[in-house]
Amino acid sequence: MKIAMISEHASPLAVPGAVDAGGQNVHVGALAREIAGLGHEVTVYTRKDREDAPDTVEIGPGLSVVHVPAGPAAPISKDEILPWIPDFGAWLRDRWVFDRPDVVHSHFWMSGVAALEAAEQVRVPVVHTYHALGSVKRRHQGSADASPRDRIKAEASIGRRADAIIATCHDEVDELIRMRVPRRSTRVVPCGVDTAAFNHHVTPRERPSRPRLLSVGRLVRRKGVETSIEALRRLPDVELVVAGGPAASELHRDAEVTRLRWIAAQAGVGDRVRFIGRIGRSELPSLMRSAAALVSVPWYEPFGMVALEGMACGVPVVASAVGGQKETVVNGVTGLLVPPRHPRALAKALRTLLDDPVRRTAYGIAGADRAKVRYGWGRIASETLAVYDEVLSARRRGSEGAVVIGAGPAPVRGRRQR
Ligand code: UDP
């Protein structure tokens, strides 16, 4: 199969950890690599955000990243990309007229807009993954949400126009139903984890002198780092290491780090919170292995790859019971789930774990098993390919316009339905 993946702001070549580079970058890169490894041809199209970025980067056999000229060849916030999406879509259409993919898989809503504009003209089916939904963001962030005004409307429209939607958890499906996206076009395929890199055989980066709690993620408010800092008040014997944000040398310039340091000082725990900046993929597993527990307590979370990576490393995970984390983290088996924005509940859960090494080990083993069995990229790639196959056969059956999967021939009367 010849597959075009569109990821307008999240390049698989970017270093995750910064404000606009996180799970989507990792997901697109890993999925594309896995699918190409199975013998398919995958091209990832992302916006050219550097003057010196080559037009095409060959990553390996059957896998390349194409930098699409749309807007300034400079980094811009994802909330400012929309005006250049029509150019992005037109560029894709012009390319696909002579280099037609079999399937397009768009990631994040603006990629969906560009992909549908182009794919409808060259009659290629589109599978879409939202990664995050504007309606959820608006609900939690209110006036702080800087997304373009039409995002929510555009996302609903993508849900009706795409051939299939891949949601990464069942919470997302519920939200899509509320947006009137047809249930029959929705499939659930979670994000995966690279279990060759993230596993419990990795040597810990160090053996800290006191129990370590670890938080990993983009440093944006909704990730709830402040909840972990406030929980430390009730956990006098532990340290909190916070990975993510800018590179270590730039931390002093970062507004969110300054705000969190102030909160830590106010809570009297400033000497036990350490910001270490963004951490490269290759260093993360050993950092995770040095922690007594991984803490992931965002206000809301479309999927939450970090919790899964912690599990894969055999580290117990304490996570807020939101989005994908409700499915990956099994409460009382691989970790503990707590309500979001609740420092007291978080401290209590952590205390239970810190006081019980046997339970920590048991959760770690169960987490690593679960990550390996359910969430390896091999399985995620084959489930994704099955969706591509479905839309291709639905198109073959339907031939005209966008045909949603599940909309095959009408059931024959009188035959028993299962
Ligand atoms: N990440 C990383 N280095 C960092 C911080 C984050 O490699 O310093 C990675 C992290 O390991 C995970 C991704 O960025 O793979 C974040 O994905 P997640 O789904 O947890 O959150 P998102 O960024 O999508 O909101």
Side-chain angles (χ1 to χ4, degrees):
M1 239 186 273
K2 189 165 165 175
I3 298 145
M5 287 204 190
I6 322 300
S7 183
E8 89 302 343
H9 72 279
S11 166
L13 302 173
V15 183
V19 168
D20 279 344
Q24 185 179 331
N25 305 65
V26 174
H27 179 123
V28 171
L31 183 63
R33 221 166 273 128
E34 195 70 35
I35 291 178
L38 293 170
H40 301 282
E41 189 185 327
V42 185
T43 308
V44 180
Y45 295 89
T46 191
R47 201 183 73 82
K48 178 172 177 156
D49 66 357
R50 269 185 13 236
E51 208 53 79
D52 61 350
D55 293 345
T56 303
V57 181
E58 302 289 345
I59 296 188
L63 176 58
S64 54
V65 173
V66 170
H67 291 117
V68 176
I76 47 176
S77 147
K78 71 173 181 290
D79 292 330
E80 280 154 28
I81 292 178
L82 188 60
W84 288 285
I85 287 298
D87 291 353
F88 199 120
W91 192 94
L92 290 176
R93 180 206 54 217
D94 292 349
R95 165 135 181 166
W96 291 345
V97 165
F98 68 86
D99 184 18
R100 188 177 177 279
D102 299 310
V103 180
V104 171
H105 187 170
S106 50
H107 297 261
F108 200 63
W109 72 280
M110 286 183 287
S111 298
V113 172
L116 282 162
E117 283 308 311
E120 283 172 356
Q121 295 187 51
V122 291
R123 292 178 175 263
V124 177
V126 174
V127 173
H128 182 74
T129 299
Y130 287 99
H131 290 273
L133 286 170
S135 52
V136 179
K137 187 172 186 187
R138 180 61 53 86
R139 195 174 306 136
H140 289 273
Q141 301 205 0
S143 57
D145 175 9
S147 307
R149 204 164 39 94
D150 289 336
R151 173 174 176 178
I152 296 172
K153 232 186 327 170
E155 284 180 336
S157 157
I158 292 166
R160 289 188 286 269
R161 285 163 69 195
D163 295 64
I165 300 296
I166 294 184
T168 56
C169 70
H170 291 86
D171 245 24
E172 186 182 339
V173 175
D174 294 343
E175 191 71 27
L176 292 171
I177 290 170
R178 282 194 283 277
M179 288 160 57
R180 298 186 190 287
V181 171
R183 177 66 184 92
R184 65 186 173 179
S185 61
T186 307
R187 300 287 179 271
V188 177
V189 182
C191 298
V193 59
D194 176 358
T195 51
F198 290 81
N199 64 66
H200 58 297
H201 306 299
V202 175
T203 312
R205 164 157 136 164
E206 64 211 274
R207 303 240 175 235
S209 52
R210 51 187 166 190
R212 170 177 293 173
L213 305 176
L214 177 67
S215 160
V216 178
R218 296 178 295 121
L219 278 188
V220 291
R221 272 191 188 207
R222 68 120 174 139
K223 289 289 182 183
V225 176
E226 137 177 22
T227 309
S228 303
I229 292 175
E230 280 163 2
L232 276 200
R233 259 202 249 234
R234 297 178 155 84
L235 302 165
D237 50 342
V238 302
E239 68 169 3
L240 172 67
V241 170
V242 182
S249 58
E250 296 296 310
L251 283 171
H252 61 286
R253 282 188 235 274
D254 188 89
E256 182 61 1
V257 173
T258 306
R259 189 184 77 86
L260 292 169
R261 280 195 170 131
W262 186 82
I263 289 170
Q266 292 297 304
V269 300
D271 58 330
R272 291 188 288 124
V273 181
R274 203 145 53 82
F275 294 88
I276 58 172
R278 104 172 44 130
I279 298 295
R281 305 293 299 151
S282 58
E283 289 175 72
L284 263 181
S286 64
L287 176 65
M288 287 184 171
R289 289 289 295 154
S290 71
L294 183 114
V295 185
S296 173
V297 286
W299 307 347
Y300 63 95
E301 190 60 84
F303 182 78
M305 295 176 90
V306 161
L308 189 54
E309 290 164 352
M311 281 165 55
C313 286
V315 178
V317 175
V318 179
S320 48
V322 295
Q325 299 193 146
K326 286 192 289 189
E327 285 166 49
T328 49
V329 179
V330 183
N331 192 36
V333 177
T334 71
L336 294 169
L337 290 171
V338 293
R341 305 178 86 160
H342 203 313
R344 195 149 35 95
L346 175 60
K348 195 169 161 213
L350 286 166
R351 185 79 274 159
T352 312
L353 268 184
L354 290 166
D355 290 346
D356 191 344
V358 174
R359 192 199 292 234
R360 282 208 305 277
T361 305
Y363 286 3
I365 293 170
D369 274 357
R370 180 164 169 75
K372 197 163 181 185
V373 172
R374 173 63 192 100
Y375 297 100
W377 279 113
R379 177 159 174 187
I380 304 308
S382 70
E383 291 176 14
T384 305
L385 284 164
V387 179
Y388 298 168
D389 278 336
E390 267 191 282
V391 298
L392 282 168
S393 2
R395 279 276 174 131
R396 272 194 290 274
R397 286 201 306 272
S399 83
E400 276 293 293
V403 179
V404 290
I405 54 182
V412 180
R413 259 167 196 263
R415 197 184 287 169
R416 247 186 51 218
Q417 300 292 305
R418 277 191 292 162

